[in-house]
C-alpha cells in the first residue's frame, strides 16, 4: 500500500508522460535510429543537446574551442531526465553526481527547517 500523495503524483506523471509520448515521433521511426552510423548518432545527439548545454558559459567556450569535444560530451555524458512535481533533484549535504540544465518547467528550492 502506498500513500495517497504518492499515488496522486504517480498518476499525474503517467498521464503527462503518455500525453508527451503520443505527441512525439512514432515508435517505428525511433527503431530506425538504430541503423544510424556511429558518427551520425554522435552528430544527432550534439544537435539535440548542445543548444541547452551551451547556455552555461563554460560549455559555450568548450564548444567553441573544440566542436569534436562538444560532440563527444553530448554523446557520452548528456541525457534527458523527466521529473514530476514533488520529485527531489538533490538534497542539502548530498554529493553532486550530476549537473542539470532546466529545459522547461520550474524548480523550487527548499531550505531544511
Amino acid at each position: 500500500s502506498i500513500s495517497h500523495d504518492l499515488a496522486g503524483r504517480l498518476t499525474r506523471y503517467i498521464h503527462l508522460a503518455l500525453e508527451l509520448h503520443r505527441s512525439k515521433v512514432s515508435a517505428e521511426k525511433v527503431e530506425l535510429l538504430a541503423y544510424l552510423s556511429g558518427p551520425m548518432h554522435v552528430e544527432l545527439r550534439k544537435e539535440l543537446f548542445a543548444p541547452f548545454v551551451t547556455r552555461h558559459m563554460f560549455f559555450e567556450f568548450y564548444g567553441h574551442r573544440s566542436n569534436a569535444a562538444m560532440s563527444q560530451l553530448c554523446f557520452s555524458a548528456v541525457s534527458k531526465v523527466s521529473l514530476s512535481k514533488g520529485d527531489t533533484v538533490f538534497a542539502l549535504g548530498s554529493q553532486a553526481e550530476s549537473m542539470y540544465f532546466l529545459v522547461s518547467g520550474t524548480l523550487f528550492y527548499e531550505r531544511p527547517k
Side-chain angles (χ1 to χ4, degrees):
S1 177
I2 61 173
S3 70
H4 182 68
D5 179 57
L6 180 57
R9 287 178 50 216
L10 289 170
T11 302
R12 282 191 308 275
Y13 182 80
I14 290 169
H15 285 294
L16 177 63
L18 283 172
E19 185 178 316
L20 289 173
H21 181 71
R22 288 183 187 129
S23 67
K24 304 262 175 165
V25 177
S26 67
E28 296 81 22
K29 290 183 181 176
V30 172
E31 289 175 15
L32 294 176
L33 293 177
Y35 295 104
L36 288 178
S37 67
M40 286 184 79
H41 196 85
V42 170
E43 187 175 349
L44 173 63
R45 290 188 55 91
K46 179 184 176 244
E47 289 221 2
L48 290 172
F49 295 124
F52 302 106
V53 172
T54 55
R55 289 179 183 172
H56 189 287
M57 189 184 330
F58 171 81
F59 292 107
E60 180 181 14
F61 176 77
Y62 185 75
H64 286 301
R65 256 336 242 170
S66 175
N67 190 44
M70 178 57 73
S71 295
Q72 278 305 120
L73 176 81
C74 290
F75 178 72
S76 62
V78 179
S79 61
K80 183 178 178 181
V81 177
S82 297
L83 300 169
S84 181
K85 182 178 180 179
D87 286 350
T88 300
V89 179
F90 58 87
L92 181 66
S94 63
Q95 183 175 345
E97 296 180 7
S98 301
M99 182 176 197
Y100 295 91
F101 294 89
L102 184 63
V103 175
S104 65
T106 306
L107 291 177
F108 293 97
Y109 296 87
E110 291 182 342
R111 290 182 176 222
K113 297 175 184 174

